Amino acid sequence: MSQAAISAENAERPTGQAVKRASLGKCPACGQGNLFSRYLKVADHCPHCNEALHHQRADDGPAYLTIFLVSHLGAPLLMIVYMAWRPSAMSMIISFSLGAIILSLALLPRIKGAFVGFQWARRMHGFGQGPDPALP
């Protein structure tokens, strides 16, 4: 392996930039290709730069963080709304249930993307092993 290939392989990957790109649903390496092939299915490779993305191991972390954020945003808001306006129980159940569902569906792919971007930037779970032998 040449010295240039070794230095390119060990080049610094800016974590903030990778997390931002991936949280927006783009490849953490190039920022152009789509990170997801479906709603939460991470593509095996970036369609733009061919970066291998199948190494990601986000697992349950994004779901736990989403639940944590939605519940910690919803609980104080629920108390504030109840104390200020005293709405009926049924209107609170419907509105806060819909709000929690919508917020969860909006946050989950962004948080999962951030997890994948962080793993890519830190070369975790096989992201730093060099060229993927499965690629043509």
Side-chain angles (χ1 to χ4, degrees), residues 4-72:
I6 291 172
S7 64
E9 186 177 307
N10 294 329
E12 180 66 27
R13 294 178 176 177
T15 304
Q17 182 182 44
V19 169
K20 181 180 176 188
R21 286 176 174 175
S23 67
L24 295 174
K26 299 298 180 185
C27 171
C30 68
Q32 299 294 317
N34 289 331
L35 178 64
F36 298 107
S37 60
R38 291 192 299 258
Y39 176 64
L40 287 176
K41 171 77 171 123
V42 177
D44 286 339
H45 297 89
C46 172
H48 187 262
C49 68
N50 214 23
E51 177 74 26
L53 301 170
H54 61 87
H55 301 295
Q56 65 86 22
R57 300 293 304 160
D59 299 329
D60 292 335
Y64 289 133
L65 188 56
T66 300
I67 291 168
F68 179 79
L69 290 175
V70 169
S71 64
H72 280 77

Side-chain angles (χ1 to χ4, degrees), residues 23-129:
S23 67
L24 295 174
K26 299 298 180 185
C27 171
C30 68
Q32 299 294 317
N34 289 331
L35 178 64
F36 298 107
S37 60
R38 291 192 299 258
Y39 176 64
L40 287 176
K41 171 77 171 123
V42 177
D44 286 339
H45 297 89
C46 172
H48 187 262
C49 68
N50 214 23
E51 177 74 26
L53 301 170
H54 61 87
H55 301 295
Q56 65 86 22
R57 300 293 304 160
D59 299 329
D60 292 335
Y64 289 133
L65 188 56
T66 300
I67 291 168
F68 179 79
L69 290 175
V70 169
S71 64
H72 280 77
L73 291 172
L77 186 61
L78 187 115
M79 291 300 296
I80 291 167
V81 167
Y82 181 74
M83 297 303 284
W85 295 288
R86 302 279 179 178
S88 69
M90 189 53 70
S91 65
M92 287 192 63
I93 289 170
I94 291 170
S95 61
F96 278 91
S97 295
L98 287 174
I101 290 168
I102 291 168
L103 189 57
S104 295
L105 290 174
L107 285 177
L108 191 55
R110 284 156 183 74
I111 292 172
K112 183 168 184 173
F115 268 65
V116 173
F118 182 80
Q119 291 174 11
W120 177 84
R122 294 292 168 197
R123 301 183 193 307
M124 297 168 69
H125 309 296
F127 276 119
Q129 292 180 345

